[in-house]
Amino acid sequence: MSAENPEVGRFLDTGPVRTNYHDVGAGEPVLLLHGSGPGVSAWANWRLTMRDLAPHFRLLAPDLAGFGYTEVPPGTAFSRRTWLDQIVAFLDQAKVDKVSVIGNSFGGSMALALAITHPDRVDRLVLMGSVGVPFPLTAGLDAVWGYQPSLENMRAIMRIFAYDQELVGDQLVRLRYEASTRPGVHEAYASMFPAPRQRWVEAMSHPEADIRAVPHPTLLVHGRDDAVIPLSSSLTLLEWIDDSRLHVFGRCGHWTQIEHATAFAHQVQTFLTEHRPTLP
């Protein structure tokens, strides 16, 4: 991690993409896949989770292409395939054969993509406020994906994410705004989910049959008051994934890992370390 900028960790060449990532802790490997908010990075999304889980696991948290400090070639087209290829190459270069995956929102769809296309590379899944199944585009998600850079707009986006509005302080707003306006960052972001945006909900969804075939033990986590991804998304995943369970946090928006950081980490640690019964 850079002393000047905690969002910058290490770099790996992952095909055409040079991935910025964090590698902390020791033990069984866990891959952390961040969401798609403007100015997001792996560190911004997972800093509290990394703090709480590093004593128990080896945590790998990459910036996906188009986000954070990962470097992409000019003209890169961002798609589920682009991100999946990067994730697989990242695991290969990090020499990790099998990993549990925690996916937040957009990152949940990518965790499912990895589990569906490379089931042998995945141990367990944690999907938090996850994209991945069809749902009517919410006003919150439309605003997040349609963000235009300004301090006022970033403050409005942060308020959509958080149930506890006291979390949305001036420093956080300014840091995320500045992150969203670094050279090339907004141009990449604006190219990912242009209007009309319902089509991107569909593009990041997976066929029902593929999700029903997911064999991995899965923990679903959702904020009851999430204004970005509806709770119904996790209820659908609960129905479709046979070996799944759902924990819902009340008084919680889209930032479960921040608004309920300690309780979220406890849920994850318990789930990833509990004994798995031997089937006859």
Side-chain angles (χ1 to χ4, degrees):
M1 182 183 296
S2 167
E4 297 77 22
N5 185 352
E7 293 186 277
V8 177
R10 311 177 188 183
F11 285 89
L12 274 179
D13 290 328
T14 51
V17 175
R18 187 167 182 255
T19 297
N20 174 55
Y21 73 104
H22 302 267
D23 185 345
V24 299
E28 292 296 316
V30 178
L31 178 67
L32 307 177
L33 299 178
H34 60 74
S36 62
V40 77
S41 67
W43 183 86
N45 205 151
W46 298 118
R47 62 191 183 280
L48 301 181
T49 304
M50 289 193 287
R51 176 201 67 190
D52 293 339
L53 292 183
H56 311 286
F57 307 100
R58 179 190 178 191
L59 304 174
L60 298 157
D63 288 347
L64 296 180
F67 296 96
Y69 288 82
T70 283
E71 300 168 7
V72 299
T76 296
F78 300 103
S79 68
R80 196 167 69 192
R81 173 51 59 184
T82 301
W83 294 307
L84 181 59
D85 287 348
Q86 178 196 6
I87 291 167
V88 173
F90 174 75
L91 293 177
D92 289 344
Q93 292 300 313
K95 296 180 171 51
V96 174
D97 293 327
K98 194 168 190 176
V99 66
S100 290
V101 189
I102 307 175
N104 170 212
S105 193
F106 152 85
S109 176
M110 295 314 306
L112 281 167
L114 182 65
I116 289 167
T117 59
H118 299 276
D120 57 317
R121 304 295 296 266
V122 174
D123 185 11
R124 298 188 180 198
L125 287 172
V126 179
L127 306 177
M128 185 183 70
S130 184
V131 178
V133 300
F135 60 86
L137 179 73
T138 63
L141 183 57
D142 196 32
V144 169
W145 280 350
Y147 165 79
Q148 292 295 322
S150 75
L151 280 170
E152 294 76 15
N153 288 345
M154 182 58 79
R155 186 181 304 277
I157 295 298
M158 298 293 98
R159 289 189 178 279
I160 291 170
F161 280 135
Y163 175 86
D164 181 0
Q165 297 294 294
E166 291 187 4
L167 290 171
V168 186
D170 291 343
Q171 182 180 18
L172 173 63
V173 171
R174 179 164 292 281
L175 286 172
R176 286 292 291 267
Y177 165 71
E178 291 174 352
S180 76
T181 56
R182 288 188 299 106
V185 169
H186 183 65
E187 291 80 0
Y189 188 73
S191 75
M192 292 179 193
F193 309 109
R197 297 187 178 88
Q198 181 67 47
R199 57 183 164 153
W200 306 120
V201 175
E202 311 301 327
M204 295 304 295
S205 297
H206 303 278
E208 178 178 347
D210 287 349
I211 296 178
R212 286 189 180 275
V214 167
H216 312 90
T218 301
L219 171 65
L220 304 163
V221 180
H222 217 110
R224 181 195 63 200
D225 310 292
D226 193 333
V228 181
I229 307 301
L231 176 57
S232 62
S233 177
S234 283
L235 292 171
T236 299
L237 288 167
L238 180 66
E239 178 185 348
W240 289 1
I241 301 174
D242 182 58
D243 190 358
S244 65
R245 65 191 74 173
L246 170 62
H247 187 93
V248 179
F249 285 91
R251 301 175 62 85
C252 181
H254 196 54
W255 276 352
T256 307
Q257 82 283 21
I258 295 173
E259 296 193 86
H260 295 270
T262 301
F264 171 73
H266 177 73
Q267 287 280 332
V268 171
Q269 181 187 351
T270 300
F271 172 71
L272 293 182
T273 56
E274 69 181 5
H275 174 68
R276 188 178 304 168
T278 302
L279 298 177

